[in-house]
Amino acid sequence: MTEQVEIKEGLDGVYITRSTICKVDGQQGKLYYRGYKIEDLAEKSSYEEVCFLLLYGKLPNKTELEDFNKKLKGERKISENLKMLIKGFSTANTLDVLRTAMSAISYDDNQPYSADETENIEKAIRIISKTPTIAAAIGRLKQGKEIIEPDDSLGHAENFLYMLIGSKPDKEKSKLMDVMFILHAEHSSNASTFATLVACSTLADIYAGVTAGMAALKGPLHGGADEAAIRMMREIGNPENTETYIEEALAGKRKIMGFGHRVYKTYDPRARILKTYLDKIKANSGEEINNFISISLRAEKMMIEKLGKSHGIWPNVDFFSGPLYLYLGIRIELFDTVFASARTVGWCSHVIEYWKNNKLFRPLEEYIGELDLGYTPIEERT
Ligand code: CMC
């Protein structure tokens, strides 16, 4: 007789650890990094400060932030070997190239694995700093342009835009890029963070963990959702078509990307923040982006009416990201790569925390296949 087991599909509702890094309140639609409200951080903080907060567990004072910034800037450059590797794959999927480059970063580290927290924070800083440089280089090469070196006079997010676009962004764009980085920095034990923890629970090094995180981020149910959402908006084309498109999609049991969440059963607070920026960019956006803004607002209204309160399916962070990325000059193929660049700090912070009390992840599966079959030699098989 087989034993009775309960299967939690997709680990729905399963707690895997205790953490002080991030609280997602899916019922109230609230998000906290180390106890601080995401709204406050998006408005008043910077990505660099948020990185410090996530890694060290407290907001930095002035001197600490200056020192931390120095360290981040000191790690921005990437090696010639890495540039050659990226150049060799410039036609491949951008997140695939970033993931491959992440593996390669570890080759420049004499000791990729360390059990020491201070050393792992140094490695995390290296990963957080170099990833946007790699992402920007991939973006440049995709357009047949030269790689641009980092500019130390610029902050983390604006430097990323500068390396990608080739000119220094104005204050408004720098702030928006910074907000995008902050909102994507961390989100508790989502699929990619869990993948990172699974890899590192074997005591594989932090680079291996982040590489695993990037692999899990790729799909349209996770980090690929913003790309899928904007492609849907492109398919809709004219804002007037929005309602019919959504109606038909739902009738055909197709998901509307950028909506729904395993934890949030109400409006994702990150989406709420991003929505406020749609208004701010409208006056300076071209026709295509303004069309996307109109489509997204109409789709949001209709989805909330149809599936919001009744099914708990609300906009998530990926729904409004697309028009904002495009406004910043970030092309569709780079969306998930930017997401990954921002999330490196979340992945690393979780690994460092988890290693304080490491336990190998090794869940079970219920075997429902046959047993004790007779082995037939190949010549006798029909
Ligand atoms: N549009 C239409 N129906 C949906 C949607 C959606 N976006 N999301 C869920 N549903 C329906 C789904 O069809 C299913 O219906 P039924 O019970 O009739 O079969 C029900 O809701 C439950 O869906 P599920 O996919 O089993 O539930 P989940 O908890 O695994 O869903 C999710 C989480 C994010 C995978 C899902 O909402 C989804 O696929 N959303 C679209 C992709 C997306 O936007 N992902 C980004 C998530 S936020 C950023 C990040 O962390 O990456």
Side-chain angles (χ1 to χ4, degrees):
M1 217 177 89
T2 37
E3 64 179 305
Q4 286 294 309
V5 298
E6 189 193 356
I7 309 236
K8 298 269 191 183
E9 284 181 1
L11 297 183
D12 194 352
V14 174
Y15 288 84
I16 53 154
T17 188
R18 292 200 163 81
S19 174
T20 63
I21 298 174
C22 177
K23 165 81 180 161
V24 181
D25 181 340
Q27 297 305 318
Q28 304 294 323
K30 290 185 176 166
L31 172 62
Y32 304 85
Y33 294 169
R34 299 280 191 189
Y36 292 94
K37 290 197 269 295
I38 193 66
E39 291 80 7
D40 282 346
L41 294 172
E43 187 193 333
K44 300 169 190 166
S45 185
S46 65
Y47 181 71
E48 291 90 324
E49 194 174 55
V50 165
C51 286
F52 188 100
L53 174 67
L54 291 169
L55 287 170
Y56 293 98
K58 68 174 193 95
L59 284 173
N61 64 30
K62 220 164 168 275
T63 319
E64 285 169 334
L65 186 59
E66 276 167 16
D67 288 350
F68 186 67
N69 274 335
K70 243 184 238 158
K71 281 188 181 170
L72 281 170
K73 287 179 181 177
E75 286 289 353
R76 280 181 183 168
K77 286 201 164 122
I78 55 171
S79 68
E80 290 306 313
N81 277 347
L82 206 54
K83 285 183 198 162
M84 268 168 47
L85 182 142
I86 300 167
K87 282 180 186 164
F89 295 101
S90 61
T91 55
N93 172 281
T94 59
L95 190 53
D96 288 352
V97 184
L98 186 73
R99 194 185 61 225
T100 305
M102 182 50 54
S103 293
I105 289 184
S106 71
Y107 309 154
D108 291 331
D109 188 333
N110 291 335
Q111 206 149 24
Y113 175 77
S114 171
D116 180 82
E117 184 172 331
T118 311
E119 281 180 22
N120 282 323
I121 289 181
E122 298 297 319
K123 292 177 198 303
I125 290 171
R126 188 169 307 134
I127 290 170
I128 293 163
S129 281
K130 292 197 192 310
T131 309
T133 308
I134 299 166
I138 294 169
R140 299 283 299 173
L141 293 168
K142 273 249 167 258
Q143 295 178 69
K145 294 177 178 166
E146 288 295 310
I147 293 174
I148 295 178
E149 291 296 316
D151 181 335
D152 283 354
S153 70
L154 302 177
H156 190 89
E158 60 182 344
N159 175 58
F160 167 68
L161 267 189
Y162 163 69
M163 291 187 295
L164 180 67
I165 312 296
S167 59
K168 294 182 185 176
D170 61 26
K171 265 197 162 156
E172 181 225 359
K173 285 193 170 159
S174 300
K175 174 64 187 168
L176 175 55
M177 191 70 247
D178 200 47
V179 168
M180 299 297 275
F181 265 85
I182 291 172
L183 297 183
H184 288 86
E186 162 57 17
H187 211 234
S188 79
S189 56
N190 52 71
S192 59
T193 302
F194 182 51
T196 304
L197 289 181
V198 170
C200 287
S201 78
T202 69
L203 304 185
D205 60 76
I206 197 163
Y207 305 96
V210 172
T211 306
M214 287 181 177
L217 187 76
K218 189 177 175 191
L221 299 187
H222 192 7
D226 48 8
E227 178 177 336
I230 204 84
R231 290 201 189 281
M232 178 193 77
M233 293 179 205
R234 193 165 265 176
E235 225 177 295
I236 291 173
N238 185 334
E240 299 293 325
N241 301 335
T242 309
E243 289 76 11
T244 314
Y245 181 98
I246 302 268
E247 198 77 67
E248 284 175 7
L250 294 179
K253 292 263 169 223
R254 293 206 312 275
K255 281 183 173 176
I256 308 299
M257 294 299 164
F259 286 87
H261 200 274
R262 178 65 63 78
V263 184
Y264 292 121
K265 296 305 164 198
T266 183
Y267 217 111
D268 178 340
R270 302 167 299 174
R272 219 183 262 290
I273 294 169
L274 290 181
K275 192 181 165 190
T276 65
Y277 278 89
L278 293 183
D279 238 13
K280 293 180 190 162
I281 67 164
K282 232 175 163 180
N284 297 322
S285 299
E287 194 188 340
E288 191 192 29
I289 295 174
N290 276 332
N291 264 350
F292 290 151
I293 293 175
S294 303
I295 291 169
S296 63
L297 294 175
R298 289 172 79 141
E300 178 224 24
K301 185 167 180 286
M302 186 174 177
M303 285 292 284
I304 290 175
E305 278 166 17
K306 279 190 146 315
L307 299 176
K309 281 210 177 96
S310 57
H311 292 76
I313 295 170
W314 296 80
N316 62 51
V317 70
D318 287 320
F319 194 60
F320 298 121
S321 297
L324 296 170
Y325 280 143
L326 292 177
Y327 173 73
L328 291 171
I330 299 168
R331 290 152 58 113
I332 296 176
E333 75 239 21
L334 220 62
F335 286 5
D336 51 7
T337 309
V338 178
F339 189 158
S341 302
R343 185 54 61 85
T344 48
V345 65
W347 292 326
C348 291
S349 303
H350 278 279
V351 170
I352 291 166
E353 183 187 65
Y354 193 75
W355 273 343
K356 287 181 189 175
N357 192 16
N358 189 64
K359 176 87 177 166
L360 176 76
F361 279 104
R362 202 323 182 176
L364 297 171
E365 56 188 30
E366 185 188 14
Y367 176 72
I368 55 166
E370 295 178 277
L371 292 170
D372 296 329
L373 296 175
Y375 183 85
T376 315
I378 195 160
E379 305 77 35
E380 294 171 26
R381 288 178 218 153
T382 50

